[in-house]
Amino acid sequence: GTCCSYRLRDALHPLWQSPLSIPGGTRQSPIDIQWRDSIFDPYLRPLKISYDPDTCLHIWNNGYSFLVEFEDSMDKSIIMGGPLENQYRLKQFHFHWGAINEWGSEHTIDSRVYPAELHLVHWNAVKYESFEEAVMEGNGLAVIGVFLKLGAYHEGLQKLVDALPAVKHKDEIVEFDTFDPSCLLPSCPDYWTYAGSLTTPPLTESVTWIIKKKAIEVDENQLEAFRMLLFTSPGEEEKRMVDNFRPLQPLMNRTVRSSFQ
Ligand SMILES: Clc1ccc(Cc2nnn[n-]2)cc1
Ligand SMILES: [Zn+2]
């Protein structure tokens, strides 16, 4: 059946390290969020998001995903509230996706997999001097996760899709100006939150995850555009950039809180 091929696919996938390779990992990501086990926390505040489209710098293919990076020397694109004690600055956003629509997201909801997942990566500029420093600290990062599902064409995403051919190969970079990533967020304010980690090296346990309950819709052509990117550099044997997600990690001694009842 398909389920065992997923597990087998996870185990064999060359790209990701098994949990065994993270000594003492007690808060690794991604995880399966079991809706019924999540606990409504009435003290969770609404998440406040304020992005300045002029802080957008460029898109680049880093060989794992494509990242849109932001100028983060000032508090111009920030999030606060929700589960966060401080204000966090937007550093970059990127996606994880599958070779086919049957899988691709990192997190799952009651084992439901989505075709892709958006991650907006922010760092705690109140407590730390740089993103690099924050990556190593327990409260250093806050990542908003948004599921993508197959459906209607997404107007806001298309500007990004149109730029992808310019970063087809690893290490290619192209200027990208005036993009407001809040157009990629669902209007519903509901989210889950839990303490986790980065899902690619350095896999540091520095992330407060904020996973939006509602998915955004994108169409087949837009998902296919992600799949035409390459892991490989120009001149190398082409390897399509697909299945760039880490297998699910054990929940261990963690609680997932919800902002909604
Ligand atoms: Cl600095 C950095 C390292 C890895 C990733 C990949 C990732 N980690 N968690 N979600 N995506 C993002 C930023
Ligand atoms: Zn990610």
Side-chain angles (χ1 to χ4, degrees):
T2 51
C3 66
C4 61
S5 65
Y6 287 178
R7 274 197 294 278
L8 185 62
R9 176 178 51 72
D10 289 350
L12 296 178
H13 207 286
L15 217 52
W16 309 112
Q17 310 184 21
S18 77
L20 303 180
S21 61
I22 312 302
T26 60
R27 53 174 278 194
Q28 288 292 296
S29 295
I31 60 168
D32 176 45
I33 294 172
Q34 308 254 317
W35 196 315
R36 69 182 69 74
D37 295 344
S38 63
I39 300 189
F40 169 61
D41 181 348
Y43 296 103
L44 281 174
R45 281 150 299 146
L47 194 58
K48 279 179 265 172
I49 297 172
S50 160
Y51 295 147
D52 175 349
D54 294 336
T55 54
C56 190
L57 291 171
H58 51 249
I59 303 183
W60 72 295
N61 177 332
N62 73 345
Y64 278 118
S65 178
F66 65 94
L67 316 184
V68 180
E69 292 209 290
F70 289 78
E71 206 284 324
D72 63 346
S73 62
M74 290 170 60
D75 286 336
K76 285 190 171 181
S77 290
I78 51 135
I79 60 170
M80 63 178 122
L84 305 173
E85 285 174 16
N86 301 129
Q87 190 173 274
Y88 287 65
R89 267 182 214 164
L90 178 64
K91 172 72 180 170
Q92 50 105 319
F93 70 82
H94 62 272
F95 297 81
H96 302 263
W97 61 90
I100 61 173
N101 297 336
E102 307 319 304
W103 59 68
S105 62
E106 296 217 296
H107 292 87
T108 55
I109 306 297
D110 293 333
S111 301
R112 175 184 176 175
V113 185
Y114 288 84
E117 185 173 333
L118 160 64
H119 288 157
L120 294 136
V121 181
H122 311 75
W123 60 281
N124 188 337
V126 170
K127 290 277 176 46
Y128 307 111
E129 303 280 292
S130 71
F131 175 75
E132 290 69 25
E133 183 190 343
V135 164
M136 308 310 289
E137 301 292 335
N139 61 350
L141 303 180
V143 181
I144 297 175
V146 181
F147 295 114
L148 275 64
K149 72 177 188 183
L150 192 61
Y153 170 80
H154 195 294
E155 184 87 37
L157 186 71
Q158 195 55 34
K159 185 176 174 188
L160 212 47
V161 166
D162 290 339
L164 294 184
V167 291
K168 185 178 172 82
H169 299 92
K170 181 179 178 192
D171 296 332
E172 287 177 336
I173 186 165
V174 68
E175 192 188 330
F176 196 64
D177 54 10
T178 335
F179 184 80
D180 179 355
S182 29
C183 76
L184 301 175
L185 295 170
S187 51
C188 177
D190 296 348
Y191 62 84
W192 287 281
T193 183
Y194 78 96
S197 75
L198 290 173
T199 63
T200 66
L203 298 169
T204 44
E205 298 183 332
S206 54
V207 180
T208 298
W209 279 97
I210 297 165
I211 305 289
K212 300 294 284 183
K213 183 182 85 174
K214 289 285 187 201
I216 59 168
E217 290 189 25
V218 300
D219 76 9
E220 180 62 35
N221 295 328
Q222 294 179 311
L223 278 173
E224 274 305 318
F226 287 14
R227 300 180 183 127
M228 61 109 229
L229 293 170
L230 300 178
F231 282 128
T232 44
S233 303
E236 284 180 352
E237 185 207 349
E238 298 203 344
K239 286 195 182 64
R240 288 189 317 144
M241 183 180 274
V242 292
D243 298 336
N244 56 356
F245 55 86
R246 190 188 191 195
L248 292 173
Q249 302 297 309
L251 183 61
M252 303 186 103
N253 181 28
R254 288 180 284 182
T255 303
V256 178
R257 291 180 289 161
S258 65
S259 71
F260 58 95
Q261 277 185 311

